[in-house]
Amino acid sequence: MLKRLLNLFGSTNLTRATLSTHKMPLKGLSHNGIKVCSELQSAGYEAYMVGGCIRDSLLGQSPKDFDVATNATPEQVRKVFRNARIIGRRFKIVHVRFGREVIEVTTFRGHHSQGKNKEAQQSEEGLLLRDNVYGDISSDAIRRDFTVNALYYDPMTETLLDFTNGLKDIQSRTLRIIGNAEERYREDPVRMLRAARFAAKLGFSVEASTGDLVAPLAELLDNIPSARLFEEVLKLMLSGCATATLETLRQYNLLKHLFPGVEPLIDNSPFNQRFIELVCINTDKRIRQNKRVTPAFIFAAFLWLPLQAEMARLIKSGMKPGEAKNAATGSVISQQLTRTAIPKRFSMPMRDIWYLQHGLERKQPKRVIEILSHQRFRAAYDFILLREDAGEELSQTGQWWTEFQHTNETRQDEMIEALKTETPRRHRKRRRTTPKASDTDTRNTDSNE
Ligand code: ATP
Ligand code: MG
């Protein structure tokens, strides 16, 4: 009991919120989001647009998705809309579907210490295991993560409601956690990843206690289920700001809790660092160009470095290259699965991308057509270009495949004929342009055979 009281008083700014309102029309909000608010209000409930959509709209950026907060319970929300579905276990939310757009509707949350045992549950480390305590708008505001994410907007009256001084933080471009940083990170360590993502994406400066506590508490991420961390990795990498996010993740010591095998390899190798940076730069570029980015490619790239390192280690210990490749693939994937899930629909193509690297490099005359028609050729080809861009010397293999896939059949036949005479020469030992000892881990030499 005493502990619970102390908890309450220890987080005074978590239990009290003062409201300021601002009349202002906001642009770029979803018509469907506005419709959800209007219908909930007509049914007699409170309803506001909230979170990233209001933050982004105030910053003049286009919001990614639209969230609505209401005092209606999930069951009450479902009754108002025909196309609504209750989802979620940890947090019950309602998805209201309009064609391809989904508006996420959440019921105002209360402080977890106000709930009965069944509605809120906290582990010994402070991790919130369940959090379905309902409350009012002011308690909802202080349960949110950052002040800039806790602004509510009523589209009917064009009024902004600010309980946490979020508007001031938007204006001064500051990312500030709501309440006591340590407590909030312990409740949900994913907030640390969100801090890294928003700092990078918004280019905001991070308020001292919001940032300072992340590195010391980073290991709390190890308590998060791997399926949730997989989803978070996708958000981090697909935000369009993966390059800046990689930097903040490293700065806050978070990367090693997502990719434990990768961090030590990039720490002491400029080549490896460049490789991972290029993965992020390429991903950001593809997103800007509205091109598809598959998680399989991202995971293939991040885990490529530990794969090469493990293969090199096994070969050095006397294992045959073919066996070493299989064993390294298995152990690198199992190590990664201790941190993030990799659903089969992504891990299979990831293995294909790795597997095809060797074939792309060897260019065996009998196999090149088969490789070209492989379902994953395009991803594997992009991957080899990435390796060359990062400085790996692969005898212009990428360029050869660029020409081969775009040319006509006659020229393709000529290229295959030319390979037949070239083959012995191409199989001589390859050289890297970055010959630092610590880089040798990533080398993809003929030992791949
Ligand atoms: P994005 O642009 O990535 O969608 P967002 O801020 O909208 O950013 P969402 O994941 O869509 O992020 O979440 C919507 C809102 O829900 C957030 O703005 C925040 O108010 C709240 N929220 C989300 N995750 C958490 C969390 N782990 N802890 C507290 N509040 C959260
Ligand atoms: Mg959002």
Side-chain angles (χ1 to χ4, degrees):
M1 182 65 189
L2 181 64
K3 200 173 161 209
R4 253 173 67 177
L5 274 176
L6 283 176
N7 258 344
L8 269 177
F9 288 117
S11 51
T12 38
N13 44 356
L14 262 182
T15 53
R16 223 184 299 137
T18 43
L19 168 67
S20 66
T21 57
H22 309 265
K23 179 101 180 143
M24 51 165 82
L26 286 190
K27 290 204 188 96
L29 299 180
S30 142
H31 292 301
N32 294 323
I34 296 174
K35 199 167 158 199
V36 168
C37 288
S38 129
E39 293 195 15
L40 282 169
Q41 290 185 12
S42 302
Y45 301 111
E46 290 171 53
Y48 300 90
M49 297 181 88
V50 65
C53 62
I54 302 306
R55 176 198 68 216
D56 291 348
S57 165
L58 284 165
L59 289 168
Q61 295 173 5
S62 32
K64 192 164 65 68
D65 48 38
F66 293 86
D67 297 305
V68 167
T70 177
N71 63 349
T73 63
E75 289 73 20
Q76 288 169 332
V77 174
R78 195 176 47 184
K79 283 191 189 136
V80 175
F81 301 98
R82 258 186 306 132
N83 300 328
R85 218 157 57 94
I86 297 180
I87 58 153
R89 263 196 323 175
R90 224 169 69 94
F91 302 115
K92 265 193 193 171
I93 56 179
V94 185
H95 276 178
V96 186
R97 186 174 283 279
F98 298 88
R100 292 180 64 182
E101 190 179 18
V102 174
I103 305 295
E104 210 164 273
V105 184
T106 51
T107 304
F108 293 148
R109 269 169 225 296
H111 194 276
H112 45 87
S113 61
Q114 291 157 355
K116 299 184 207 97
N117 271 351
K118 264 191 175 166
E119 292 150 349
Q121 242 182 41
Q122 205 162 8
S123 77
E124 282 186 1
E125 291 88 27
L127 184 74
L128 270 186
L129 303 173
R130 202 182 298 141
D131 191 11
N132 268 330
V133 182
Y134 299 134
D136 59 15
I137 183 169
S138 70
S139 63
D140 188 77
I142 53 184
R143 296 295 309 135
R144 291 184 180 269
D145 48 7
F146 304 100
T147 60
V148 294
N149 285 348
L151 291 161
Y152 297 73
Y153 184 68
D154 180 347
M156 306 312 136
T157 60
E158 300 189 325
T159 310
L160 190 78
L161 281 73
D162 182 1
F163 294 89
T164 62
N165 279 328
L167 190 57
K168 205 170 112 222
D169 285 339
I170 293 249
Q171 281 152 357
S172 64
R173 305 181 72 79
T174 306
L175 189 73
R176 185 191 311 275
I177 196 148
I178 297 171
N180 176 293
E182 175 163 1
E183 206 172 297
R184 303 303 314 282
Y185 289 145
R186 282 189 185 279
E187 276 174 7
D188 183 4
V190 166
R191 288 174 188 146
M192 295 187 280
L193 295 177
R194 290 174 61 85
R197 174 156 66 91
F198 292 128
K201 179 181 146 173
L202 305 172
F204 278 21
S205 55
V206 181
E207 177 268 332
S209 70
T210 305
D212 291 353
L213 280 168
V214 175
L217 296 176
E219 67 186 30
L220 292 173
L221 276 176
D222 299 345
N223 300 325
I224 301 297
S226 62
R228 187 165 178 220
L229 285 187
F230 171 75
E231 295 299 328
E232 290 303 320
V233 165
L234 296 194
K235 288 186 197 167
L236 292 161
M237 294 307 297
L238 304 179
S239 64
C241 304
T243 315
T245 306
L246 176 72
E247 220 171 279
T248 47
L249 285 175
R250 294 191 69 201
Q251 178 193 339
Y252 288 131
N253 201 27
L254 293 168
L255 188 66
K256 78 168 180 221
H257 297 281
L258 297 174
F259 289 100
V262 178
E263 171 80 17
L265 295 174
I266 53 179
D267 257 357
N268 53 19
S269 157
F271 172 84
N272 289 351
Q273 193 165 330
R274 181 75 192 138
F275 181 80
I276 293 293
E277 263 169 26
L278 270 179
V279 176
C280 296
I281 291 170
N282 265 5
T283 307
D284 291 343
K285 195 165 143 202
R286 289 183 73 90
I287 288 175
R288 270 198 308 278
Q289 296 168 339
N290 275 328
K291 286 191 185 160
R292 206 169 77 90
V293 179
T294 158
F297 190 92
I298 291 174
F299 276 82
F302 267 77
L303 299 181
W304 178 251
L305 300 178
L307 178 74
Q308 299 307 301
E310 182 59 5
M311 264 172 59
R313 192 186 69 79
L314 292 173
I315 289 167
K316 209 168 158 195
S317 73
M319 202 181 264
K320 284 192 185 130
E323 270 172 52
K325 191 172 170 181
N326 290 338
T329 302
S331 70
V332 164
I333 293 178
S334 339
Q335 185 196 31
Q336 184 57 28
L337 292 180
T338 64
R339 301 310 317 124
T340 68
I342 314 176
K344 275 247 157 53
R345 66 182 186 284
F346 301 126
S347 67
M348 297 309 281
M350 175 181 90
R351 284 167 181 266
D352 284 347
I353 291 171
W354 286 346
Y355 167 78
L356 283 169
Q357 293 308 295
H358 182 49
L360 284 166
E361 281 177 60
R362 283 193 77 190
K363 301 193 288 261
Q364 278 178 303
K366 275 192 204 149
R367 287 207 57 215
V368 287
I369 291 288
E370 183 193 321
I371 290 174
L372 186 62
S373 48
H374 193 287
Q375 199 190 352
R376 312 280 175 224
F377 167 77
R378 184 70 215 191
Y381 160 74
D382 284 344
F383 197 91
I384 214 152
L385 293 183
L386 181 79
R387 290 169 57 200
E388 285 189 329
D389 278 354
E392 222 176 320
E393 170 48 49
L394 297 173
S395 314
Q396 301 192 320
T397 294
Q399 200 183 319
W400 190 91
W401 284 100
T402 306
E403 184 182 351
F404 190 67
Q405 67 186 292
H406 292 122
T407 194
N408 58 32
E409 268 182 36
T410 319
R411 174 71 190 129
Q412 279 184 341
D413 288 343
E414 281 168 19
M415 289 176 79
I416 292 172
E417 280 308 309
L419 284 178
K420 289 179 185 162
T421 50
E422 267 178 42
T423 300
R425 186 163 52 80
R426 284 190 307 108
H427 278 209
R428 276 184 220 139
K429 203 168 180 354
R430 295 188 181 106
R431 188 179 48 81
R432 284 268 306 278
T433 49
T434 45
K436 273 194 100 183
S438 55
D439 292 349
T440 51
D441 290 349
T442 63
R443 184 171 5 188
N444 192 34
T445 63
D446 288 354
S447 60
N448 263 352
E449 283 165 54

